[in-house]
Amino acid sequence: MSGRSPLHTRPKPVNIGKNILAVMANLTCVMFAFAILIFTLIAAIYKPEDPHLSQPTFTSDHTIAKTSDDYFNLRPSTQTGFSDDGASNVSTSSGLECVGNSDEPIDCINPEVFHLMMRVTIEMFKDVHFYKFGKPVRGSNSSTCDMAWRYRPKEGNADAFNKDYRRFVISRNEDCSFNVVGVGEYHTGLNARKPKKGNQRGFEKMNTSSKQAEASVGVVGGVADDELPVVNSNEGLFSDRKKYLVYTGGGDRCKSMNHYLWSLSCALGEARYLNRTFVMDFSVCLSSKYTASNQDEEGKDFRFYFDLKHLMDSGSVTEQGQFWFEWEKWERRGGQGLYLVEDFRVTPMKLADVKDALIMRKFGLVEPDNYWYRVCEGETESVIHRPWHMLWKSRSLMDIVSGITSRMNSDFDSVHVVRGERAKNTELWPNLAADTSPNALLSSLQNKIEEGRDIYIATNEANTSFFDPLMDKYGTHFLDDYKDLWNESSVWYEVTKKLNNGIPVEFDGYMRISVDTEVFSRGKKRIETFNDLTSDCKEGINACPSIS
């Protein structure tokens, strides 16, 4: 057995089964490869009939299939232009057969009407950037719509958005197209003003029917709250153990507004550094330099001049009168106490670890050591940063600024001409009077401002006819040209009277300066007196800043 050749060995049954499976697998692979070869040859030589030459085998359908162009044409087509008299002849047509009575009232929230009004506005004011449009509302009758918007001049130095609301006169043609036949002056669309709480007019949230217009002209609807704030009660003022800072006394009262703001900004800066709420007197003493009576006037509301809501939103501030009322009650319940500081040389850094609920800085009677801003001098100057971003001009004054710039279509240059007492003081300003005379102004401006341009002249010169010679080359505008924006029929008059318990408020000297300064800053080109018109120094002879 051991000498038998392997060739004569009989296969085992297990090996036979494996061999059969291997043969079948090989045959399957060969057949698959052969089928692929046949299919490739057929595909290479087969030529089907041209389908464009063959006869259709389906029945005819004479209906017209609508393409995206057909749906696009259902949107309003708009033609824009202005007639010689300034009236708008913009129209919009739906392209559909007119159904209904052309005399029916205009539906102001109709997307076609809304879109048309926005297009007209954008076409009218080419020199501004539009931020948001409010939903139109019914105007004074069935053919008018009021609409509000926020905007900013494309050029100039505007830090905030202006607002406007105007009345549009709209007509409907027999083919259901719409025309804007007239647009009112600044702030004529009174129904589009910011509504009172509970009123759903004006800048309200867009509803579903007006979403089409939103897609065509960017962001629509929504706006910052324009309501002047009412000082709320401080009930529960000390329940969360907040800490406070208050300044009392001092010689800052009834000084110039620049002095007042310099001191107030110091106090606000210290409160922020110490992470304390600033306890503030919201009444202002207006210096005699700004009043018609030439007397200091106490009891002016802070809100006449500055945006209180923005101040309270951007920092921790509370009203002084209510604070003391609550403080007395809290003290009787065993409060944490008061830390008194009577020397301005005690720096904020030394007060950082004070645990008492209230730090009171008490200022004496001797000027200038009792000025609030002395706290921020010396080593403190590099530590305390005045929060100027908290102090904005009042919204009622900024509305006047918006009105003036809007009437000039935000397309003007501005010139600041300082005269008055400075021009009379030839010892400190020897050249000012001559350099700001009409002939000198014409000579200075000819190379700076193009002839024919509108120029806004911000000036303390009481007699504006002094500048009449400039009218031959420029369109001149002055603050007093816009008195209707603060007269007895104005929004400003209504707002300030309400704040003043029904007593009319004088449009005083500081308000004039505020508005004049803001309008000047919005000019496309801005010419300053002491930088551009005269070689005299702003602070007097030999007081010009050195140029390094």
Side-chain angles (χ1 to χ4, degrees), residues 133-157:
F133 287 90
K135 189 181 73 175
V137 296
R138 176 67 60 82
S140 58
N141 54 49
S142 61
S143 62
T144 59
C145 296
D146 292 356
M147 185 173 70
W149 57 85
R150 288 271 174 175
Y151 68 95
R152 176 183 286 167
K154 289 182 179 178
E155 299 185 35
N157 183 26

Side-chain angles (χ1 to χ4, degrees), residues 137 191 193-204:
V137 296
N191 291 343
R193 290 171 56 189
K194 173 68 182 180
K196 302 295 183 183
K197 290 184 178 180
N199 189 343
Q200 297 302 312
R201 299 183 310 174
F203 280 103
E204 63 182 354

Side-chain angles (χ1 to χ4, degrees), residues 36-290:
I36 291 177
L37 177 63
I38 298 298
F39 179 81
T40 303
L41 291 174
I42 294 174
I45 63 176
Y46 176 69
K47 294 183 179 180
E49 293 186 22
D50 189 336
H52 296 289
L53 300 178
S54 61
Q55 295 295 323
T57 58
F58 47 85
T59 58
S60 300
D61 185 356
H62 299 289
T63 60
I64 300 175
K66 292 185 177 181
T67 67
S68 59
D69 290 337
D70 296 301
Y71 290 107
F72 179 79
N73 289 333
L74 292 177
R75 298 179 62 188
S77 59
T78 307
Q79 296 80 37
T80 308
F82 294 91
S83 60
D84 293 335
D85 60 1
S88 167
N89 59 13
V90 180
S91 64
T92 181
S93 174
S94 66
L96 301 176
E97 182 180 356
C98 186
V99 177
N101 186 355
S102 61
D103 295 329
E104 290 180 354
I106 299 296
D107 180 10
C108 296
I109 63 172
N110 181 327
E112 293 183 18
V113 176
F114 187 18
H115 184 246
L116 172 64
M117 293 170 65
M118 289 190 288
R119 291 293 298 273
V120 169
T121 305
I122 293 171
E123 181 67 21
M124 283 183 65
F125 305 106
K126 298 180 182 296
D127 293 309
V128 303
H129 285 299
F130 288 92
Y131 175 55
K132 291 183 180 180
F133 287 90
K135 189 181 73 175
V137 296
R138 176 67 60 82
S140 58
N141 54 49
S142 61
S143 62
T144 59
C145 296
D146 292 356
M147 185 173 70
W149 57 85
R150 288 271 174 175
Y151 68 95
R152 176 183 286 167
K154 289 182 179 178
E155 299 185 35
N157 183 26
D159 293 329
F161 286 102
N162 300 324
K163 69 176 180 180
D164 196 359
Y165 38 87
R166 301 196 182 214
R167 180 152 294 166
F168 294 71
V169 181
I170 300 173
S171 67
R172 181 192 288 107
N173 300 321
E174 292 183 356
D175 63 352
C176 282
S177 64
F178 296 100
N179 294 311
V180 173
V181 297
V183 181
E185 293 296 329
Y186 173 79
H187 275 195
T188 50
L190 297 178
N191 291 343
R193 290 171 56 189
K194 173 68 182 180
K196 302 295 183 183
K197 290 184 178 180
N199 189 343
Q200 297 302 312
R201 299 183 310 174
F203 280 103
E204 63 182 354
K205 186 176 180 180
M206 298 287 296
N207 60 22
T208 305
S209 62
S210 58
K211 292 290 184 179
Q212 298 173 26
E214 180 177 357
S216 301
V217 192
V219 181
V220 181
V223 73
D225 182 13
D226 287 314
E227 294 294 323
L228 285 167
V230 176
V231 179
N232 295 319
S233 170
N234 289 322
E235 183 178 357
L237 193 67
F238 303 100
S239 60
D240 55 359
R241 300 300 184 185
K242 288 183 179 179
K243 290 181 169 53
Y244 300 87
L245 171 69
V246 64
Y247 282 29
T248 62
D252 304 271
R253 202 75 180 170
C254 304
K255 292 294 191 296
S256 72
M257 275 292 189
N258 287 340
H259 182 125
Y260 169 75
L261 291 173
W262 192 242
S263 284
L264 176 61
S265 63
C266 174
L268 292 170
E270 182 179 26
R272 286 171 64 88
Y273 173 81
L274 297 174
N275 196 26
R276 289 174 173 264
T277 297
F278 184 66
V279 181
M280 181 175 164
D281 183 358
F282 290 148
S283 70
V284 177
C285 178
L286 189 66
S287 170
S288 59
K289 67 183 295 184
Y290 306 116

Side-chain angles (χ1 to χ4, degrees), residues 151-160 162 186 393-417 449 453-459 475-483 485-486 507 510-528:
Y151 68 95
R152 176 183 286 167
K154 289 182 179 178
E155 299 185 35
N157 183 26
D159 293 329
N162 300 324
Y186 173 79
K393 292 181 174 67
S394 73
R395 299 184 185 215
S396 56
L397 289 178
M398 292 305 298
D399 279 349
I400 295 176
V401 174
S402 298
I404 295 173
T405 57
S406 177
R407 291 183 184 182
M408 292 188 286
N409 292 327
S410 298
D411 184 20
F412 64 95
D413 300 314
S414 49
V415 182
H416 185 205
V417 182
I449 297 179
R453 289 280 295 166
D454 283 333
I455 59 173
Y456 181 83
I457 301 178
T459 182
T476 57
H477 303 263
F478 303 90
L479 179 62
D480 281 338
D481 295 342
Y482 305 95
K483 287 183 176 179
L485 294 176
W486 64 82
F507 190 72
Y510 185 71
M511 295 174 182
R512 296 178 63 88
I513 292 172
S514 292
V515 173
D516 233 11
T517 302
E518 286 294 329
V519 177
F520 171 83
S521 71
R522 283 157 172 71
K524 291 186 174 180
K525 291 183 179 179
R526 297 176 294 281
I527 309 300
E528 288 277 10

